[in-house]
C-alpha cells in the first residue's frame, strides 16, 4: 500500500481566518497545508474593518504597514453619516479623522484600519505563502475525514484534475465558514438567537456618486426613511468608485436574480442613477455560537463557530483571535512542550469570547429597529420635519453610533477562568464595549505602553513566553523550570515606573499570544506555574 503523506496541521478554508491560522503557524515554524475549494478570488467583498487587535497581530507578523498602506486613500473622510437617502437630508454626521490625520491612541501602537477584504485577504495570503512551512492549495476540497486518537485521515479532491487523494494530518482545523461541513460531521450544534434577517448586498461602481448627490465625503452612510432605518451604503474603494449597498432585511425569499436592485438603489440614493453592477448576494444574518469549538484532534475557528451580525465589525476579527489562540497552542503541542490541557483550553478561552462578541453584535443590530414608527415627517421641508430630523440625528448617533465606538470590545476581551491562567484574586476590570480599560490581570491582553527605546511592550511578545521584571525580583527559578521543560522563555527588564504601575506586580508572565498567564511579586513554585501555563495541570 502506498503510504499516505502526513501533514502536521491541515486547515480547511482559505477565507481570512484560515489564512491567518496558516500565517500564524508558518510564523511559528510549523508545517501546515491549507486547502480552499475556490480559486481564492473575491467577487463580493464583505469585510472592511480590520480592528485594532487584528492590527496588533499584523504588526507581529510584519504586515501592519502593508494593511495601513492598502489602496484606501489616507486622506479620504472616514465620517459616518445618517441620511434620509444619499441625495436627501443629512441627520447626523459622526466626524472621524482621516487615516492621515489620526494620532496614536494611548492604549495601542496600532489603530483600526479600513482595508477591504479585496486587499486584506491577498496581504494575508502573500504573507502565509512566504512562510517556508506553509502550503496553500486552491481548487481543492475536503470531501470527508475520519478522526482517531492518532490523527485525522482526510479525503481531498483536486477540483481541477478530478483526482482524489488520501492524506493524514496530526490535527485538522475547520475554517470552513458558516456552513461548515466539518462542524456538521462532528455533530456540533449552534445555539443563540438564530436568524436575525435576510440582508441583500449590492456591489456596484459609481465613481461620482457623492458629487451627484452634493454630499460631503464619508465612508459609511446609514439610510433612514419614513419606514425606519433600512440600509447602509459604504464606499469600498474610493479611487475606483466601488460601493456597497446593504438593505438590512428582505422577505427571505429573494435570490440574487430576483432582487429589485434598481429599486433598492433608487430608494437608497433618493433618485434614479446609472451604475455599473458588480455583484448581488442575499445572505442570512445569524446570531449563533457553536456548542463546542473542538472534538478530539479536530478544531473549528471563525464563522464555522460564530456567526454574527456585521454590526460592530467583529466577525473576521473574532475569527482571527481564534486563529492566534489556537496557533500557539498547536505549535507548542507539536513542538512537544505543550501539555495535554493546552489544546483543550482553546474552547475554554475562545468560546466565551464568541458568546460575548456575538451578543454585542446582535445588540448593535437590534438598536437599528428602534428607529421605526412616528417618523412619517422625516423628509418634510417643514419646521416639524427639521425638528424631527435634529432629534433623530442625535439619538441615532448616540445609540446606533455605538457600533463605531468599540475600543473596549476590540481590546478588552479576557480569558476569565482559563485553565492555563492563574487567577490573582483581583476583581476583573470593567468590560465596557466603548472604553478599553487596560489591565494586566491574568487572562487579559498584556497592555501597551511605550518603552524607553520607543518600542511598544507588545513588541516584546510573540515567539515564546516573556517574563516581565519590574525591579529586582528573582527570575532564575522560572527560567530554570522553563528550560527543564523546553518551554521558550525570555526575561525582559522594564524600569519605567509608569509601566510597572500599569502591570501592577514585580513579575508578569506573558504568553506567546500576548495574554497574561500569571503575575505576582515572587514565585512560590516555579515548576507548578510553568506547568499550569503550558497546559499540564
Ligand atoms: C456585509 C458584511 C460585512 C462584514 N464586515 C466585516 C468587517 O468589517 N470586519 C469583520 O471582522 N468582519 C466582517 N464581516 C464578517 C466576515 O466577513 C466573516 O466573519 C469572515 O469572512 C469569516 O471568515 P472565515 O475565514 O471564518 O470564513 P469564510 O470567509 O466564509 O471562508 C470559509 C472558506 O472555506 C471554504 N470551504 C468551505 N468548505 C470547504 C471544503 N470542504 N473544502 C475546501 N474549502 C472549503 C470556502 O470556500 C470559503 O472560502 C462582514 C460580513 C458581511 C456579510
Amino acid at each position: 500500500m502506498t503510504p499516505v503523506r502526513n501533514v502536521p496541521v491541515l486547515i480547511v478554508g482559505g477565507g481570512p481566518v484560515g489564512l491567518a491560522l496558516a500565517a500564524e503557524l508558518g510564523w511559528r515554524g510549523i508545517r501546515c497545508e491549507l486547502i480552499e475549494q475556490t480559486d481564492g478570488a473575491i467577487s463580493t467583498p464583505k469585510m472592511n474593518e480590520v480592528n485594532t487587535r487584528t492590527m496588533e497581530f499584523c504588526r507581529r507578523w510584519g504586515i501592519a504597514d502593508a494593511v495601513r498602506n492598502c489602496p484606501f486613500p489616507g486622506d479620504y473622510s472616514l465620517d459616518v453619516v445618517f441620511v434620509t437617502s444619499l441625495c436627501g437630508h443629512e441627520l447626523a454626521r459622526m466626524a472621524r479623522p482621516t487615516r492621515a490625520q489620526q494620532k496614536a491612541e494611548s492604549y495601542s501602537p496600532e489603530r483600526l484600519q479600513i482595508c477591504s477584504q479585496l486587499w486584506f485577504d491577498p496581504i494575508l495570503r502573500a504573507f502565509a505563502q512566504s512562510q517556508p512551512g506553509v502550503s496553500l492549495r486552491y481548487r481543492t476540497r475536503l470531501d470527508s475525514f475520519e478522526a482517531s486518537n492518532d490523527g485525522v485521515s482526510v479525503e481531498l479532491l483536486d477540483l481541477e484534475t478530478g483526482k482524489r487523494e488520501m492524506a493524514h494530518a496530526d490535527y485538522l482545523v475547520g475554517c470552513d465558514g458558516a456552513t461548515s461541513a466539518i462542524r456538521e460531521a462532528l455533530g456540533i450544534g449552534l445555539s443563540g438567537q438564530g436568524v436575525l434577517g435576510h440582508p441583500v448586498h449590492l456591489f456596484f461602481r459609481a465613481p461620482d456618486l457623492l458629487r451627484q448627490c452634493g454630499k460631503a465625503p464619508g465612508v459609511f452612510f446609514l439610510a433612514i426613511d419614513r419606514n425606519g432605518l433600512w440600509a447602509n451604503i459604504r464606499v469600498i474603494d474610493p479611487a475606483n468608485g466601488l460601493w456597497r449597498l446593504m438593505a438590512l432585511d428582505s422577505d427571505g425569499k429573494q435570490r440574487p436574480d430576483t432582487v429589485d436592485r434598481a429599486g433598492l438603489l433608487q430608494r437608497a440614493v433618493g433618485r434614479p442613477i446609472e451604475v455599473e453592477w458588480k455583484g448581488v448576494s442575499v445572505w442570512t444574518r445569524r446570531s449563533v455560537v457553536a456548542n463546542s469549538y473542538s472534538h478530539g484532534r479536530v478544531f473549528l475557528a471563525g464563522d464555522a463557530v460564530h456567526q454574527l451580525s456585521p454590526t460592530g465589525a467583529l466577525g473576521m476579527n473574532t475569527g482571527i483571535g481564534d486563529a492566534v489562540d489556537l496557533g500557539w497552542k498547536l505549535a507548542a503541542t507539536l513542538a512537544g512542550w505543550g501539555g495535554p490541557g493546552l489544546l483543550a483550553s482553546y474552547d475554554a478561552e475562545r468560546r466565551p469570547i464568541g458568546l460575548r462578541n456575538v451578543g454585542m453584535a446582535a445588540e448593535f443590530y437590534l438598536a437599528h429597529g428602534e428607529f421605526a414608527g412616528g417618523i412619517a415627517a422625516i423628509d418634510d421641508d417643514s419646521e416639524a420635519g427639521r425638528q424631527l430630523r435634529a432629534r433623530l440625528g442625535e439619538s441615532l448617533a448616540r445609540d446606533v453610533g455605538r457600533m463605531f465606538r468599540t475600543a473596549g470590545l476590540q481590546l478588552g476581551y479576557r480569558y476569565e477562568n482559563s485553565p492555563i491562567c492563574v487567577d490573582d484574586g483581583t476583581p476583573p476590570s470593567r468590560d465596557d464595549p466603548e472604553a478599553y480599560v487596560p489591565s494586566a490581570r491574568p487572562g487579559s491582553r498584556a497592555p501597551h505602553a511605550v518603552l524607553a527605546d520607543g518600542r511598544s511592550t507588545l513588541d516584546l511578545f510573540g515567539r515564546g513566553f516573556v517574563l516581565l521584571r519590574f525591579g529586582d525580583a528573582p527570575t532564575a527559578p522560572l527560567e530554570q523550570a522553563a528550560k527543564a521543560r523546553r518551554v521558550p522563555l525570555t526575561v525582559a527588564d522594564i524600569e519605567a515606573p509608569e509601566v510597572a504601575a500599569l502591570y501592577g506586580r514585580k513579575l508578569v508572565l506573558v504568553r506567546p499570544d500576548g495574554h497574561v498567564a500569571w503575575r505576582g511579586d515572587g514565585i512560590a513554585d516555579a515548576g507548578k506555574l510553568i506547568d499550569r501555563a503550558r497546559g499540564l495541570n
Side-chain angles (χ1 to χ4, degrees), residues 122-199:
I123 292 170
L124 263 185
R125 179 173 167 172
F127 173 66
Q129 216 146 19
S130 72
Q131 302 304 300
V134 175
S135 149
L136 307 182
R137 286 176 66 187
Y138 287 83
R139 300 281 295 139
T140 305
R141 191 174 73 202
L142 174 91
D143 269 357
S144 65
F145 68 92
E146 204 175 311
S148 70
N149 290 339
D150 303 326
V152 190
S153 301
V154 297
E155 185 190 8
L156 308 180
L157 174 65
D158 184 321
L159 295 163
E160 289 296 322
T161 62
K163 242 177 88 183
R164 286 190 182 276
E165 183 203 352
M166 296 301 293
H168 180 272
D170 294 330
Y171 297 95
L172 174 70
V173 188
C175 301
D176 49 346
T179 55
S180 171
I182 299 181
R183 188 194 64 235
E184 293 236 324
L186 294 173
I188 296 176
L190 299 166
S191 301
Q193 285 170 280
V195 174
L196 298 181
H198 301 92

Side-chain angles (χ1 to χ4, degrees), residues 3-280:
V4 293
R5 65 195 176 86
N6 189 72
V7 191
V9 184
L10 184 82
I11 302 166
V12 180
V17 176
L19 288 170
L21 180 60
E24 174 74 8
L25 288 170
W27 187 80
R28 295 192 179 283
I30 297 296
R31 204 158 59 78
C32 63
E33 181 170 309
L34 177 151
I35 59 156
E36 164 58 46
Q37 61 193 0
T38 71
D39 63 4
I42 299 156
S43 55
T44 320
K46 299 184 284 185
M47 188 287 300
N48 286 285
E49 297 189 14
V50 179
N51 82 12
T52 309
R53 188 59 177 144
T54 301
M55 281 303 293
E56 292 176 352
F57 298 138
C58 289
R59 178 184 181 92
R60 171 151 67 73
W61 295 328
I63 57 172
D65 281 340
V67 180
R68 235 188 313 279
N69 298 329
C70 79
F72 194 94
D75 59 355
Y76 191 87
S77 165
L78 300 185
D79 289 0
V80 171
V81 192
F82 293 89
V83 292
T84 53
S85 67
L86 217 46
C87 294
H89 297 283
E90 192 168 305
L91 280 68
R93 179 173 282 262
M94 294 169 59
R96 305 192 304 173
T98 62
R99 285 205 350 248
Q101 293 164 338
Q102 285 169 347
K103 296 199 178 66
E105 298 282 6
S106 59
Y107 49 73
S108 177
E110 296 293 338
R111 292 189 69 117
L112 180 149
Q113 297 296 322
I114 304 291
C115 177
S116 163
Q117 192 171 11
L118 284 176
W119 307 310
F120 185 68
D121 284 17
I123 292 170
L124 263 185
R125 179 173 167 172
F127 173 66
Q129 216 146 19
S130 72
Q131 302 304 300
V134 175
S135 149
L136 307 182
R137 286 176 66 187
Y138 287 83
R139 300 281 295 139
T140 305
R141 191 174 73 202
L142 174 91
D143 269 357
S144 65
F145 68 92
E146 204 175 311
S148 70
N149 290 339
D150 303 326
V152 190
S153 301
V154 297
E155 185 190 8
L156 308 180
L157 174 65
D158 184 321
L159 295 163
E160 289 296 322
T161 62
K163 242 177 88 183
R164 286 190 182 276
E165 183 203 352
M166 296 301 293
H168 180 272
D170 294 330
Y171 297 95
L172 174 70
V173 188
C175 301
D176 49 346
T179 55
S180 171
I182 299 181
R183 188 194 64 235
E184 293 236 324
L186 294 173
I188 296 176
L190 299 166
S191 301
Q193 285 170 280
V195 174
L196 298 181
H198 301 92
V200 174
H201 193 156
L202 305 179
F203 188 41
F204 57 93
R205 186 164 178 274
D208 58 352
L209 184 57
L210 287 177
R211 197 187 51 77
Q212 285 186 53
C213 282
K215 276 277 170 312
V219 72
F220 198 82
F221 295 82
L222 295 101
I224 177 166
D225 62 17
R226 51 186 23 244
N227 298 309
L229 187 51
W230 73 278
N232 57 60
I233 311 136
R234 177 188 262 282
V235 65
I236 307 286
D237 177 357
N240 288 303
L242 292 178
W243 290 80
R244 183 194 74 207
L245 163 62
M246 193 209 291
L248 299 180
D249 203 1
S250 65
D251 59 12
K253 296 179 194 138
Q254 299 298 315
R255 295 186 318 264
D257 57 328
T258 61
V259 168
D260 174 14
R261 51 188 197 182
L264 288 173
L265 186 67
Q266 182 170 337
R267 183 176 170 200
V269 174
R271 64 161 102 123
I273 57 153
E274 289 295 317
V275 301
E276 183 190 330
W277 292 107
K278 293 283 192 186
V280 179

Side-chain angles (χ1 to χ4, degrees), residues 3 41 70 86 122 136 197 251 284 342 351 372 394 404 440 514:
C70 79
L86 217 46
L136 307 182
D251 59 12
T284 307
L342 191 59
R351 218 176 142 264
E394 211 172 288
F404 300 99

